[in-house]
């Protein structure tokens, strides 16, 4: 039984028991209605408690039902039944009272919570809006502006804050159920009328005339291209201008619009993809991970320092090794500055800054790494340097220590060979800034032990990253795909598009910045060095030629005040550059290219189809377990808009695999470049009429 009714004296307790998160499925909705009816009919019961067992109060609607369409009693019916009940009902919150869970609680007479509980309306993260009255009841309870922020952010609110805001009526220290029953008794003692959120009125005059127009404009910027936030504004406005029943009806119409929007499907895909990603095929469930109590990082540069912060933040002691005292001091200085910047924003207290710094022990001696359970190398990106480091590690690391490389491109198998323990070697590829970016690519070498993989995944979760396992190939998943995207952006510029035109198309699509602004930010010398070190085909070399000339002219990007773009002193705003235009013209002349007008659609297709085609090759080669893992990489490591579901979801749903194949064939015929050859996997999927999820 997913819902049961028990009794404590004159208080009936309705308990939802639907692990793991008490998602409000059709059975739960029906169960609550039935328990409520029973409780109403029971003359011995004067008040009720609505609670949930297990780790959390109801964490929202059952998301797996969204794709199936409506079944069973509606949320609206359950809300109405709770709200219309003549006996007072106290919702007892613990864990995460999210979405529909909070919405049902808002239909109760009062809410009590343990201090560790969280409440929230995260529907926006699924591309929808709270459709069980949240947009109508929360503004009545906490005010219009506060409610709008909570609903559009989708972020959780801790119970103590929720109590201050009026969402929670009392915090219960100790036994929640006992506290809820006592609260129900106190309501009975006070007697009727019991307060209902629906009866609270909002005075439209109290809302500034331009409030909703300003909110729409703000979210158009902060939530660029996103559908649900605008609908949320509409819904909250309805709470102000309509009566509650008309407002609820409007909310239902608005959520219906969200449900059929492609962004909802995309974001729900991302929700499940994020949970799928940690499931490694062929990794035995009973695989024990290795304990990680102490970590060491080699290299206190930007990357090493950022990586160290992750562990310090999680309370894991970390030893930071550099070759020189100055390097160490500089690295620690940067870490401290980062923490102090967080403190200045009020995100950390001064004491927390010190506590985190105290978790980092600097050293110049490899012998100090002997007790580390995990050692991550973040040194210069050449095999020669990696060899020296791993040979040294092999001597000093204790047996069973995991030896990880933060390399972005180099072969983990080659690196593993520098040790006598290749099974302990793994790639842990962090993304810059390493203390901020959520992605961690976990690179599985040929000999990487299963428990090393399992430990890496668990560790990712511990340091609040999302770990994605990748196979060992040049650039792994993310950077391998990025190469084609960047190359096409550069070729488009040689053919006649301006960097600003290309960047605008990419930005308007939803990327945080265009390819050229990103190159300028990263520094053009990085690509320059890597091109010099590698054997390039003519076409690859051509794609890098403008970048090469810019570097040779001293335009290294943002750090030198000029790159593809010009930058005013002290400014980070890219401005179209005449000097770059001249360099482009020179390269065009040298290559015998006459510039043509390029339309935006071609830019979009060439950049993203090149990226997706490489993704399909990666998938076909088994370098990623699932297409959805690739989506997670791109969303969390490269800022691909989550509301498009990631590049693979986008290609399949917004473009269609058949159209993609035709366009790849078109570009292959047009340019002859080998990277346009369609991935064999794509050809197979199209010819067999199969989907990406089927592999
Ligand atoms: C909503 O309420 C709409 C309403 O307005 C009404 C409209 C009419 N449904 O995340 P975890 C599964 S929209 C179905 O790893 P944690 C999840 O897939 C909903 N399944 O645990 C996973 O399955 P598996 C608004 C769900 O402890 C397992 O539970 N609510 C749901 O790290 C464990 O999940 C939300 O958006 C669900 N609602 O985090 C809350 N939730 O083991 C979404 C989870 O097979 N949920 N599962 O992979 C969360 O944010 C987190 O799951 C939570 C727990 C914080 C609760």
């Amino acid at each position: 039984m997913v819902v049961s009714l028990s009794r404590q004296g004159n208080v009936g307790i309705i308990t939802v028991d639907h692990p793991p998160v008490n998602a409000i499925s059709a059975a739960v909705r029906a169960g609550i209605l039935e328990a409520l009816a029973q409780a109403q009919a029971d003359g011995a019961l004067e008040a009720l408690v609505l609670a949930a067992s297990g780790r959390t109060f109801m964490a929202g609607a059952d998301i797996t039902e969204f794709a199936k369409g409506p079944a069973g009693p509606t949320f609206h019916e359950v809300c109405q039944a709770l709200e219309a009940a003549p006996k007072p009902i106290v919702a007892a919150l613990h864990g995460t009272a999210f979405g529909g869970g909070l919405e049902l609680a808002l239909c109760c007479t009062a809410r009590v919570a343990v201090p560790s509980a969280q409440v929230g309306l995260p529907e926006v993260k699924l591309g929808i809006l709270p459709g069980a009255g949240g947009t109508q009841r929360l503004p009545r309870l906490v005010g219009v502006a506060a409610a709008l922020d909570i609903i559009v952010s989708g972020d959780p609110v801790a119970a103590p804050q929720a109590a201050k805001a009026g969402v929670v009526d009392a915090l219960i220290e100790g036994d929640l159920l006992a506290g809820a029953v006592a609260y129900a008794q106190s309501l009975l003692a006070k007697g009727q009328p019991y307060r209902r959120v629906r009866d609270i009125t909002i005075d439209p005059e109290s809302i500034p005339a331009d409030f909703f127009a300003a909110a729409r404009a703000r979210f158009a910027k902060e939530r660029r291209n996103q559908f649900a936030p605008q609908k949320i504004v509409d819904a909250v406005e309805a709470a102000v201008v309509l009566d509650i029943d008309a407002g609820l009806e409007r909310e239902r119409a608005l959520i219906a619009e969200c449900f059929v929007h492609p962004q909802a499907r995309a974001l729900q895909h991302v929700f499940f993809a994020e949970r799928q990603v940690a499931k490694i095929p062929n990794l035995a469930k009973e695989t024990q991970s290795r304990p990680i109590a102490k970590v060491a990082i080699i290299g206190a540069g930007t990357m090493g320092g950022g990586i160290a912060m992750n562990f310090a933040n999680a309370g894991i002691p970390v030893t930071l090794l550099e070759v020189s005292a100055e390097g160490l001091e500089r690295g620690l200085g940067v870490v401290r500055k980062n923490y102090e910047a967080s403190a200045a924003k009020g995100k950390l207290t001064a004491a927390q800054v010190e506590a985190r710094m105290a978790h980092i022990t600097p050293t110049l001696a490899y012998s100090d790494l002997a007790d580390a359970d995990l050692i991550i190398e973040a040194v210069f990106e050449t095999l020669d340097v990696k060899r020296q480091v791993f040979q040294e590690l092999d001597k000093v690391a204790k047996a069973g220590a995991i030896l990880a490389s933060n390399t972005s491109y180099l072969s983990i198998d080659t690196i593993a060979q520098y040790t006598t323990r290749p099974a302990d070697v793994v790639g842990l590829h962090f993304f810059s800034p390493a203390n901020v970016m959520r992605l961690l690519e976990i690179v599985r070498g040929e000999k990487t032990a299963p428990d090393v993989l399992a430990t890496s995944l668990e560790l990712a979760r511990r340091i609040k990253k999302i770990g994605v396992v990748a196979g060992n190939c040049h650039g792994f998943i993310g950077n391998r795909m990025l190469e084609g995207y960047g190359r096409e952006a550069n070729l488009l510029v040689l053919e006649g598009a301006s960097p600003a035109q290309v960047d605008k198309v990419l930005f308007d699509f939803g990327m945080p910045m265009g390819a050229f602004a990103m190159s300028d930010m990263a520094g053009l010398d990085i690509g320059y060095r890597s091109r010099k070190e590698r054997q390039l085909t003519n076409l690859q070399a051509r794609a890098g030629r403008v970048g090469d000339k810019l570097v040779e002219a001293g335009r290294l990007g943002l750090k030198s005040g000029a790159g593809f773009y010009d930058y005013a002193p002290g400014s980070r705003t890219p401005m179209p550059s005449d000097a770059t235009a001249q360099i482009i013209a020179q390269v065009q002349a040298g290559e015998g290219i006459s510039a043509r007008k390029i339309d935006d659609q071609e830019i979009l297709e060439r950049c993203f189809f090149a990226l997706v085609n490489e993704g399909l090759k990666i998938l076909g080669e088994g370098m990623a377990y699932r297409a959805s893992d690739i989506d997670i990489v791109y969303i969390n490591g490269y800022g691909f808009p989550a509301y498009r579901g990631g590049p693979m979801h986008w290609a399949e749903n917004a473009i269609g695999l058949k159209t993609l194949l035709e366009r790849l064939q078109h570009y292959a015929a047009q340019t002859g470049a080998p990277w346009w050859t369609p991935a064999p996997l794509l050809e197979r999927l199209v010819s067999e009429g199969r989907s990406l999820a089927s592999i």
Side-chain angles (χ1 to χ4, degrees):
M1 268 235 294
V2 291
V3 183
S4 59
L5 174 67
S6 59
R7 291 163 180 79
Q8 276 193 24
N10 60 346
V11 179
I13 298 163
I14 298 174
T15 306
V16 177
D17 183 10
H18 185 42
V21 299
N22 291 310
I24 310 162
S25 61
V28 170
R29 297 194 296 276
I32 294 175
L33 283 180
E34 202 182 307
L36 198 56
Q38 263 181 43
Q40 293 299 347
D42 188 334
L45 296 179
E46 293 180 73
L48 302 173
V49 167
L50 177 63
S53 59
R55 66 196 215 215
T56 180
F57 189 76
M58 292 166 268
D62 183 344
I63 303 167
T64 60
E65 284 185 352
F66 290 172
K68 300 177 200 152
T74 63
F75 266 92
H76 188 55
E77 286 172 66
V78 183
C79 288
Q80 268 187 330
L82 288 168
E83 213 167 34
K87 297 174 186 175
I89 309 175
V90 176
L93 314 182
H94 75 293
T96 43
F98 283 174
L102 176 61
E103 291 175 291
L104 294 192
L106 291 177
C107 297
C108 296
T109 320
R111 289 143 296 281
V112 299
V114 291
S116 61
Q118 294 181 313
V119 302
L121 294 172
E123 284 86 343
V124 69
K125 296 181 183 174
L126 300 167
I128 57 173
L129 51 80
T135 65
Q136 305 305 300
R137 293 189 183 89
L138 195 63
R140 285 178 159 75
L141 206 49
V142 304
V144 170
L148 191 59
D149 280 347
I150 291 173
I151 303 172
V152 171
S153 78
D155 290 338
V157 181
Q161 271 75 47
K164 277 194 198 121
V167 181
V168 165
D169 297 277
L171 292 174
I172 306 290
E173 306 277 353
D175 187 66
L176 175 62
L177 213 51
V181 169
Y183 199 89
Q185 300 289 10
S186 74
L187 288 177
L188 288 174
K190 276 193 211 136
Q192 306 229 23
Y194 302 118
R195 185 177 88 142
R196 298 189 307 175
V197 176
R198 65 153 36 229
D199 298 330
I200 302 171
T201 51
I202 301 173
D203 175 11
E205 300 298 317
S206 67
I207 312 296
D210 64 345
F211 179 83
F212 290 105
R216 284 187 184 92
R218 174 156 72 97
F219 298 133
K221 226 167 148 187
E222 289 174 6
R223 302 280 167 155
R224 193 158 53 93
N225 296 351
Q226 293 180 44
F227 187 73
Q230 296 293 331
K231 296 290 145 185
I232 289 170
V233 180
D234 293 352
V236 173
E237 188 174 28
V240 177
V241 298
L242 300 178
D243 69 36
I244 180 95
D245 291 314
L248 289 169
E249 208 177 308
R250 178 95 180 101
E251 181 193 79
R252 284 200 293 281
L254 290 166
I255 196 179
E257 281 184 53
C258 292
F259 268 129
V260 295
H261 195 279
Q263 289 186 4
R265 190 160 168 214
L267 285 162
Q268 286 155 33
H269 160 77
V270 175
F271 177 85
F272 289 112
E274 279 192 1
R275 279 145 187 91
Q276 188 81 354
V277 77
K279 296 177 183 136
I280 303 305
N282 305 326
L283 186 70
K285 259 214 158 87
E286 53 282 4
T287 309
Q288 289 279 326
S289 37
R290 302 184 187 180
I292 304 288
K294 268 193 110 168
V295 174
I297 315 281
I298 303 177
T302 315
M303 214 53 204
I307 296 172
M309 288 174 75
N310 287 297
F311 294 100
N313 295 349
I316 303 172
V318 50
T319 303
L320 188 59
L321 182 141
E322 251 302 339
V323 284
S324 73
E326 302 81 70
L328 206 48
E329 204 171 309
R330 201 172 39 240
L332 280 173
V334 173
V335 170
R336 177 171 282 283
K337 240 174 78 187
N338 282 337
Y339 278 137
E340 282 171 355
S342 298
K345 287 185 206 143
K347 290 184 184 162
L348 289 179
T349 63
Q352 281 170 323
V353 172
E354 293 316 318
R356 289 181 192 197
M357 286 306 294
H359 272 107
I360 305 178
T361 309
T363 184
L364 296 170
Y366 267 90
S367 54
D368 284 345
L369 312 189
D371 61 348
D373 302 303
L374 163 70
I375 306 177
I376 305 172
E377 147 298 293
V379 298
F380 200 67
E381 189 76 339
T382 69
L383 271 179
D384 206 38
V385 179
K386 306 283 186 200
R387 182 175 47 74
Q388 290 169 31
V389 167
F390 276 83
Q391 283 174 347
E392 200 59 45
L393 286 184
D394 203 21
K395 287 186 212 144
V396 299
K398 69 178 182 187
I402 296 177
L403 308 182
S405 171
N406 177 51
T407 180
S408 334
Y409 290 97
L410 301 172
S411 165
I412 290 299
D413 290 339
T414 308
I415 292 174
Q417 274 172 23
Y418 301 143
T419 72
T420 56
R421 34 177 137 175
D424 295 339
V425 177
V426 69
L428 291 182
H429 180 208
F430 289 79
F431 287 70
S432 191
N435 53 316
V436 177
M437 298 299 284
R438 214 174 144 223
L439 178 64
L440 177 65
E441 264 184 339
I442 299 170
V443 187
R444 178 197 64 197
E446 200 189 335
K447 299 203 170 130
T448 304
D451 64 343
V452 170
L453 267 193
T455 309
S456 303
L457 277 161
E458 193 182 291
L459 192 72
R461 209 172 151 104
R462 236 171 114 191
I463 60 173
K464 300 200 166 62
K465 300 265 180 235
I466 184 150
V468 182
V469 177
N472 182 37
C473 54
H474 183 79
F476 315 126
I477 296 176
N479 283 344
R480 177 169 159 186
M481 287 166 70
L482 189 68
E483 205 167 278
Y485 170 86
R487 193 174 46 220
E488 284 305 312
N490 276 279
L491 288 173
L492 283 157
V493 159
L494 272 188
E495 291 169 36
S498 67
Q501 185 196 357
V502 173
D503 276 3
K504 181 170 186 315
V505 171
L506 303 175
F507 180 80
D508 287 349
F509 176 82
M511 298 302 285
M513 63 176 80
F516 296 104
M518 190 172 86
S519 300
D520 273 1
M521 207 172 83
L524 302 186
D525 47 329
I526 299 176
Y528 181 81
R529 265 204 314 273
S530 116
R531 283 191 294 277
K532 295 288 162 213
E533 279 164 13
R534 289 170 59 199
Q535 290 277 334
L536 301 177
T537 63
N538 284 345
L539 268 170
Q540 283 173 329
R542 177 189 281 182
R545 206 139 286 153
V546 171
D548 290 348
K549 294 253 186 268
L550 288 169
V551 171
E552 283 156 14
R555 300 177 67 97
L556 306 185
L558 196 54
K559 62 185 165 192
S560 69
F564 278 99
Y565 293 100
D566 289 340
Y567 298 87
S571 159
R572 298 172 70 86
T573 308
M575 296 182 307
S577 161
D578 288 341
T580 299
Q582 273 175 23
I583 288 176
I584 294 169
Q586 277 168 20
V587 177
Q588 283 167 336
E591 299 279 333
I593 297 170
S594 35
R596 65 185 167 93
K597 189 175 175 318
I598 296 183
D599 66 31
D600 290 354
Q601 180 65 17
E602 180 175 346
I603 294 174
L604 191 78
E605 289 194 354
R606 284 179 53 183
C607 291
F608 287 113
F609 291 179
L611 180 124
V612 169
N613 195 30
E614 199 60 41
L616 287 158
K617 288 179 186 171
I618 287 170
L619 197 58
E621 291 165 21
M623 294 294 158
Y625 291 122
R626 294 163 278 251
S628 62
D629 287 9
I630 299 178
D631 289 332
I632 294 302
V633 165
Y634 257 80
I635 291 167
N636 295 284
Y638 300 83
F640 193 96
Y643 57 81
R644 294 195 193 273
M648 310 308 276
H649 177 91
W650 171 76
E652 183 165 39
N653 293 279
I655 307 299
L657 297 183
K658 188 161 169 291
T659 307
L660 175 68
L661 178 59
E662 285 161 8
R663 297 308 290 159
L664 292 175
Q665 286 163 339
H666 162 81
Y667 289 118
Q670 202 175 57
T671 72
W675 56 80
W676 284 118
T677 306
L681 174 68
L682 177 63
E683 291 183 317
R684 214 175 68 224
L685 289 176
V686 171
S687 75
E688 294 171 8
R690 285 170 53 194
S691 71
L692 282 173
S694 72
I695 40 171

